[in-house]
Amino acid sequence: MSGVDITVNGTSPLDPALDGTAVNSLLDEIAAVGRDPQTGGYRRFAFTREDVALGEWFEDACRVRGLDVTTDRCGNQWAWWGDPDVAVAAGRPGIVTGSHLDSVPDGGPMDGPLGTASALAALDLLRAQGFTPTRPIGLVRFVDEEGGRYGLACSGSRLLTGISRPETVLGLTDAAGSTYAEGLRGVGLDPAAVGRDDETLRRVGVFVELHVEQGRWLSRPDVDRPVAAASLIKAHGRWRVDLLGKADHAGATRLEDRDDPMLELARFVPAVRAAAAAQGAVGTVGKLDVRPNAVNAIPSRVTAWLDCRADTEEQVHAVLADLAGQGFGIIEESWSPATLLDPALGDRVAAAAGRAVGRDAAAPPVPVIPTGAGHDAGVLSQHGVAAAMLFVRNPTGTSHAPDEFAEPDDRATGVRALAAVLADLCG
């Protein structure tokens, strides 16, 4: 057992009074896991005590609803309402929804958990409505979506689909020097078994991921809508820059005799901002490693990590070329091209969600917007799985930070939208 105490809501999933509000009690069940009482932020990293506790919570929540949970070769968890293998044999693979439960360092409470809890609540709502699916509905919890421990975002879905190969992932290390392979072993998974899992993938006909909005578009006065669908996931990646110098004494070394890589860092950060602005992109230097990291020592080495995103791959590549032209050596650590989500599926999702949000068969579709954040839905789409996304309004506009939020009523509206989408796709 994980040693982290979580109580699973025992409310009957067939309670006819349910109208999407179960998502709020589900989120309350895990609200304390990995939360820093000082900052209010979350530290839920892959294959840690907190991550194991969250996996146990997901499994228990599924079993309360009569669903068995299986774990694929890469550590992702799956539960099915209906038999996915019978459906595959009939040429009608399942409709899957879900998200992740891990976080970035000091992350917020909604990014990942809202989608995972909403998947469970949508299942409750469909059952309460007496819905009988003609295709199986799957619930998934992906591992290590944020890459907060080993630096590779969406590693669970990347390994599952074969987009990332085991030999490039298993040797990744965390801040303590522990490898990804060691992390897997620590939670009872076999690193030798990790890799593309076609048996699991063939069961997935469509994937729909609900997510908290990352930005303020839905809260704008001229929009003011609780839910949107996604059109595309912007091109994004992570790169490492090693800035080398010479370690020396902070008091005994004259300024003119120093080879201080911090000066190159001071040049690099505004260079990133300027290069990104010139291309209509965004660039962020949010992580540093300083060696030897002593107050009274000139650094010998500074490693900085760059996150860059834009609508197109060409814009991102232009930013990198600009930085390389200024003498910075850029080393790629991960890359995801711009991912256009299935337009026909997106229109269908927007229409079904609109009817649920408006509570009227004639209600207009919800808005369709791009996202600058990466998601497991994008990885599955790159692999060839039809994928779509729903976003729930975030009035703070903040994400990857403790202020991340969605109003309880909007969360319930998102569940109704997701349930309507699932019913439309498999009814």
Side-chain angles (χ1 to χ4, degrees):
M1 294 296 291
S2 65
V4 176
D5 183 33
I6 303 177
T7 301
V8 174
N9 188 343
T11 301
S12 167
L14 300 178
D15 184 348
L18 290 173
D19 190 22
T21 54
V23 66
N24 296 315
S25 59
L26 287 164
L27 288 168
D28 286 345
E29 290 171 7
I30 58 173
V33 181
R35 185 174 184 270
D36 186 322
Q38 301 299 318
T39 67
Y42 287 85
R43 292 179 172 264
R44 297 165 165 172
F45 303 145
F47 316 132
T48 61
R49 174 174 174 266
E50 292 77 16
D51 189 47
V52 169
L54 292 165
E56 291 173 350
W57 170 83
F58 178 76
E59 183 171 357
D60 288 346
C62 289
R63 286 181 174 165
V64 164
R65 289 157 175 81
L67 309 177
D68 289 331
V69 176
T70 60
T71 301
D72 66 30
R73 293 166 52 191
C74 305
N76 308 299
Q77 294 174 291
W78 303 79
W80 289 96
W81 180 16
D83 191 325
D85 295 320
V86 170
V88 169
R92 290 171 58 80
I95 310 299
V96 179
T97 187
S99 192
H100 63 98
L101 292 172
D102 63 303
S103 77
V104 299
D106 232 27
M110 297 290 155
D111 183 348
L114 179 61
T116 307
S118 293
L120 293 160
L123 180 79
D124 291 347
L125 181 55
L126 289 172
R127 286 176 163 178
Q129 294 171 343
F131 177 76
T132 301
T134 60
R135 297 172 69 172
I137 295 177
L139 307 183
V140 63
R141 173 243 174 179
F142 285 108
V143 296
D144 197 27
E145 193 270 355
E146 297 291 8
R149 182 175 179 185
Y150 300 103
L152 177 65
C154 298
S155 71
S157 57
R158 283 175 174 271
L159 287 166
L160 170 73
T161 57
I163 288 175
S164 289
R165 299 181 63 81
E167 57 266 30
T168 66
V169 177
L170 295 176
L172 295 175
T173 58
D174 63 12
S178 178
T179 66
Y180 197 101
E182 290 169 338
L184 289 168
R185 290 191 194 96
V187 296
L189 295 171
D190 180 7
V194 166
R196 175 167 165 162
D197 190 339
D198 289 319
E199 182 179 358
T200 295
L201 289 167
R202 69 187 178 88
R203 297 170 176 157
V204 184
V206 177
F207 178 59
V208 182
E209 182 174 5
L210 181 144
H211 205 279
V212 69
E213 182 190 15
Q214 295 170 297
R216 293 181 178 84
W217 196 86
L218 287 171
S219 297
R220 285 170 27 182
D222 60 327
V223 179
D224 192 26
R225 300 288 295 277
V227 174
S231 56
L232 67 85
I233 297 173
K234 297 182 179 183
H236 58 281
R238 299 179 183 183
W239 293 265
R240 190 182 82 244
V241 180
D242 296 320
L243 308 172
L244 304 180
K246 183 179 184 300
D248 217 329
H249 195 288
T253 309
R254 299 185 307 166
L255 293 178
E256 56 267 35
D257 292 336
R258 299 182 180 202
D259 183 4
D260 187 348
M262 279 292 193
L263 297 178
E264 277 296 278
L265 175 67
R267 186 171 73 91
F268 179 62
V269 174
V272 166
R273 185 180 181 92
Q279 296 298 328
V282 291
T284 305
V285 180
K287 179 181 177 181
L288 300 173
D289 180 34
V290 180
R291 302 293 176 90
N293 203 30
V295 174
N296 59 347
I298 300 163
S300 61
R301 179 190 189 106
V302 175
T303 300
W305 280 266
L306 164 66
D307 180 301
C308 187
R309 309 177 189 227
D311 290 342
T312 69
E313 299 170 34
E314 290 76 17
Q315 289 168 290
V316 175
H317 291 151
V319 172
L320 300 176
D322 188 335
L323 295 171
Q326 297 183 56
F328 297 109
I330 311 292
I331 302 168
E332 181 180 306
E333 292 201 340
S334 70
W335 168 247
S336 295
T339 304
L340 179 66
L341 299 176
D342 188 306
L345 175 62
D347 289 344
R348 184 172 177 178
V349 165
R355 293 191 293 270
V357 170
R359 297 178 184 257
D360 186 338
V366 299
V368 181
I369 62 175
T371 175
H375 301 281
D376 292 309
V379 175
L380 293 183
S381 181
Q382 290 174 42
H383 176 70
V385 174
M389 294 194 70
L390 289 170
F391 294 112
V392 174
R393 176 168 51 196
N394 176 354
T396 71
T398 301
S399 187
H400 282 188
D403 289 345
E404 182 179 81
F405 186 66
E407 295 286 355
D409 285 348
D410 284 352
R411 300 175 206 166
T413 300
V415 171
R416 292 196 298 273
L418 178 60
V421 167
L422 296 175
D424 181 67
L425 292 173
C426 66

